[in-house]
């Protein structure tokens, strides 16, 4: 399936919904990287390296570094709701993605975790 290299530092971004499930002293898994023990939850979450061995009952968390790409994903919902047009039929979800996505060709279909298969549509600017 290939491999990729991502330069990491001491800052990681995770989804807010994942953060809501984390408590102090939990050990989480930064998916595909390593484990982190949560030391403090406040304005920022701090943690420390806690090994690389998979822990079966730890949360597996998607992440990106502080070298990220801002991205919008559009998710289609039901076009009609109770036989009337659903004006909320297209959700826009904004977030951060790996910087390497900027190298993906316009129109290419890729798999994005939590969303499935998606087509890249780049803005001209």
């Amino acid at each position: 399936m290939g491999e990729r290299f991502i330069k990491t530092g001491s800052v990681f971004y995770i989804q807010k919904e994942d953060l809501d499930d984390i408590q102090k002293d939990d050990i989480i898994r930064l998916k595909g990287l390593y484990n982190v023990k949560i030391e403090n939850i406040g304005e920022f979450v701090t943690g420390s390296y806690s090994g690389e061995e998979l822990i079966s009952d730890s949360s597996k968390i998607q992440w990106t570094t502080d070298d990220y790409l801002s991205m919008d994903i559009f998710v289609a919902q039901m076009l009609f709701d109770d036989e009337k047009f659903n004006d909320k039929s297209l959700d826009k979800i904004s977030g951060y993605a790996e910087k390497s996505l900027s190298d993906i060709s316009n129109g290419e279909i890729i798999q994005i975790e939590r969303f499935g298969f998606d087509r890249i549509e780049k803005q001209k600017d």
Side-chain angles (χ1 to χ4, degrees):
M1 293 182 55
E3 59 183 36
R4 64 189 191 285
F5 296 94
I6 301 171
K7 183 179 177 183
T8 62
S10 62
V11 175
F12 295 90
Y13 289 88
I14 65 173
Q15 195 168 349
K16 182 176 180 342
E17 287 80 6
D18 290 333
L19 179 60
D20 292 341
D21 294 332
I22 295 172
Q23 298 180 17
K24 185 179 184 300
D25 296 324
D26 282 353
I27 295 179
I28 63 168
R29 175 77 176 189
L30 295 178
K31 193 167 183 185
L33 191 60
Y34 52 70
N35 302 323
V36 174
K37 181 174 183 180
I38 303 302
E39 295 176 346
N40 185 42
I41 298 177
E43 182 179 354
F44 298 98
V45 175
T46 58
S48 60
Y49 175 81
S50 187
E52 296 185 23
E53 186 174 323
L54 289 175
I55 301 170
S56 62
D57 61 341
S58 68
S59 297
K60 299 345 179 236
I61 306 290
Q62 292 292 349
W63 56 273
T64 190
T65 66
D66 55 353
D67 187 23
Y68 60 82
L69 173 69
S70 293
M71 184 177 198
D72 295 325
I73 294 181
F74 294 91
V75 180
Q77 304 296 334
M78 296 298 292
L79 187 56
F80 290 94
D81 185 17
D82 295 327
E83 297 186 24
K84 66 178 187 174
F85 178 73
N86 178 8
D87 59 353
K88 296 180 182 176
S89 63
L90 189 62
D91 288 339
K92 176 181 169 184
I93 300 171
S94 298
Y96 301 151
E98 290 178 21
K99 187 79 167 204
S100 64
L101 281 178
S102 63
D103 297 330
I104 303 293
S105 299
N106 193 37
E108 190 171 340
I109 295 176
I110 62 170
Q111 185 174 8
I112 299 177
E113 296 219 24
R114 300 188 186 197
F115 291 98
F117 291 94
D118 297 89
R119 184 177 62 227
I120 299 297
E121 295 182 1
K122 296 183 178 184
Q123 295 178 339
K124 291 183 182 183
D125 60 356

